[in-house]
């Protein structure tokens, strides 16, 4: 069962086409990560699904409701966390949540109970009585997540929720998102951190030029582009000769890093074994300090599918 579906979404801003026939399907209870270069259309897609922008053409549903014809029902079914903290620094964490509960038409007692339950669940009960301005960045982002969960929604949309956070704070958010998914929440995550997508997403959707260029689990996407061979040579002057050896199996021109004396090339899965590669290098009179045959990283999948470097700000 698909909780989020989009077909043929298009959206232009003047002469700029942000989406160009985007198709998307997100299964219930999973985490789907949207990846893409800057300007690929991720944020526009998120805004359409959250009913903040209307598409020029195409159709999308969230939790069974049409985003264009039933926006109020969509909004009642989602929690949305944007790129920037939306809580009030001059209130305590508890006060922020209680006010949001009242705005969602919970009674005062119910709002207080819900706030206390969320603070306990997110391990922030002790900080709940402190002004939010005294909280760390990671704590504030968790408060943003809590704010979106006052009325537990079936769908949670996160637009780059960990941008600017330190690694520990990002890990805390990842743990929280995994827990929500285990509890049955469907999560759509737009992110610039490839490690984030690899860590927590069941499905990764790569967007480029306003449409989907690849979709699947992280493992499926890695397997689809084959195996990677890395060679570190004793002498960087041997890189061209080593590239000639690799070219017998490589599906694309080997990539050389002279400073690190390293050569990397994609090869079909199972095309060559490590012992055979070492024998071929020896036969060519090349001295290698290290040789490895490995699965590609999500970074390499991203580069292969978009022809672009990692997204700006992405973690190494």
């Amino acid at each position: 069962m698909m909780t989020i579906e989009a077909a043929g979404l298009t959206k232009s801003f003047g002469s700029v086409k942000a989406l160009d026939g985007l198709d998307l399907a997100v299964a219930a209870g999973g985490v789907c990560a949207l990846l893409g270069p800057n300007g690929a259309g991720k944020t526009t897609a998120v805004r359409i699904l959250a009913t903040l922008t209307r598409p020029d053409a195409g159709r999308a549903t969230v939790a069974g409701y049409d985003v264009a014809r039933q926006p109020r029902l969509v909004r009642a079914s989602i929690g949305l966390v944007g790129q920037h903290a939306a809580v009030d620094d001059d209130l305590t964490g508890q006060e922020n949540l209680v006010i949001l509960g009242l705005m969602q038409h919970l009674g005062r007692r119910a709002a207080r109970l819900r706030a206390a339950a969320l603070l306990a669940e997110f391990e922030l009960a002790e900080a709940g009585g402190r002004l939010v301005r005294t909280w760390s960045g990671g704590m504030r982002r968790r408060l943003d997540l809590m704010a979106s969960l006052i009325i537990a929604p079936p769908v949670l949309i996160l637009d780059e929720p960990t941008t600017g956070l330190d690694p520990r704070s990002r890990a805390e958010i990842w743990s929280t998102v995994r827990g929500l998914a285990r509890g049955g929440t469907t999560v759509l995550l737009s992110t610039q951190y490839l490690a984030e997508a690899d860590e927590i997403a069941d499905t990764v959707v790569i967007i480029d030029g306003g449409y989907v260029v690849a979709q699947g689990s992280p493992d499926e996407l890695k397997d689809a582009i084959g195996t990677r061979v890395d060679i570190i040579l004793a002498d960087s002057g041997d890189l061209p000769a080593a590239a000639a050896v690799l070219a017998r199996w490589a599906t694309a021109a080997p990539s050389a890093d002279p400073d690190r004396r390293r050569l990397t090339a994609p090869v079909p899965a199972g095309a060559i074994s490590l012992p055979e590669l070492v024998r071929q290098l020896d036969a060519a009179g090349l001295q290698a300090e290290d040789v490895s045959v490995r699965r590609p990283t999500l970074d390499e999948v991203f580069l292969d599918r978009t022809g672009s470097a990692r997204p700006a700000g992405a973690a190494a």
Side-chain angles (χ1 to χ4, degrees):
M1 177 181 177
M2 297 299 166
T3 299
I4 300 174
E5 293 185 278
L9 289 182
T10 65
K11 181 67 179 179
S12 295
F13 299 95
S15 61
V16 177
K17 181 163 281 190
L19 295 180
D20 187 14
L22 179 79
D23 297 324
L24 183 66
V26 181
V31 179
C32 175
L34 290 181
L35 298 177
N38 286 338
K42 302 188 304 295
T43 295
T44 301
V46 166
R47 289 181 61 83
I48 288 174
L49 294 171
T51 75
L52 300 176
T53 299
R54 290 181 65 90
D56 296 333
R59 183 173 183 268
T61 60
V62 177
Y65 301 115
D66 188 284
V67 299
R69 294 187 293 105
Q70 300 168 296
R72 289 188 179 182
L73 292 173
V74 171
R75 290 174 201 144
S77 302
I78 66 172
L80 175 64
V81 178
Q83 297 180 20
H84 307 288
V87 292
D88 191 329
D89 287 350
D90 294 322
L91 298 175
T92 67
Q94 174 87 11
E95 289 168 340
N96 268 283
L97 295 175
V98 168
I99 288 173
L100 289 168
L102 294 174
M103 292 172 64
Q104 294 284 351
H105 307 295
L106 295 179
R108 184 168 295 277
R109 181 173 183 275
R112 286 198 301 266
L113 290 173
R114 182 60 176 157
L118 284 168
L119 286 165
E121 181 181 344
F122 283 68
E123 300 181 354
L124 289 171
E126 292 185 5
R130 288 170 24 209
L131 294 179
V132 171
R133 71 162 68 102
T134 68
W135 289 24
S136 69
M139 293 166 67
R140 288 159 58 90
R141 292 307 274 165
R142 278 191 282 165
L143 183 60
D144 268 342
L145 276 174
M146 284 185 274
S148 71
L149 299 170
I150 291 291
I151 304 295
V155 180
L156 182 61
I157 299 176
L158 307 176
D159 189 11
E160 300 185 16
T162 60
T163 297
L165 296 183
D166 60 78
R168 172 175 287 185
S169 295
R170 284 204 303 272
E172 290 173 348
I173 298 296
W174 296 353
S175 177
T176 298
V177 171
R178 282 195 297 266
L180 291 170
R182 285 194 298 270
T185 301
T186 301
V187 180
L188 180 65
L189 167 68
S190 171
T191 181
Q192 293 202 17
Y193 293 100
L194 300 178
E196 185 166 76
D198 207 359
E199 175 75 17
I200 67 174
D202 304 301
T203 303
V204 171
V205 176
I206 301 177
I207 300 175
D208 195 18
Y211 60 93
V212 174
V213 296
Q215 180 170 334
S217 72
D219 286 343
E220 288 170 344
L221 292 177
K222 293 171 188 176
D223 290 342
I225 66 169
T227 301
R228 286 301 189 267
V229 171
D230 291 330
I231 301 172
I232 297 178
L233 297 162
D235 184 349
S236 61
D238 288 337
L239 286 170
V245 172
L246 270 184
R248 302 171 195 172
W249 304 279
T251 57
S255 173
D257 182 348
D259 292 337
R260 299 171 65 185
R261 295 170 280 111
R262 179 177 177 177
L263 196 69
T264 300
V267 300
I272 187 171
S273 67
L274 188 58
E276 174 63 17
L277 179 56
V278 171
R279 283 194 295 270
Q280 293 293 332
L281 292 171
D282 286 342
L286 302 172
Q287 183 179 352
E289 293 184 349
D290 187 67
V291 181
S292 63
V293 178
R294 60 175 176 80
R295 297 182 74 191
T297 65
L298 200 56
D299 294 61
E300 289 166 326
V301 173
F302 184 91
L303 179 61
D304 180 81
R305 295 305 186 217
T306 67
S308 303
R310 67 170 62 246

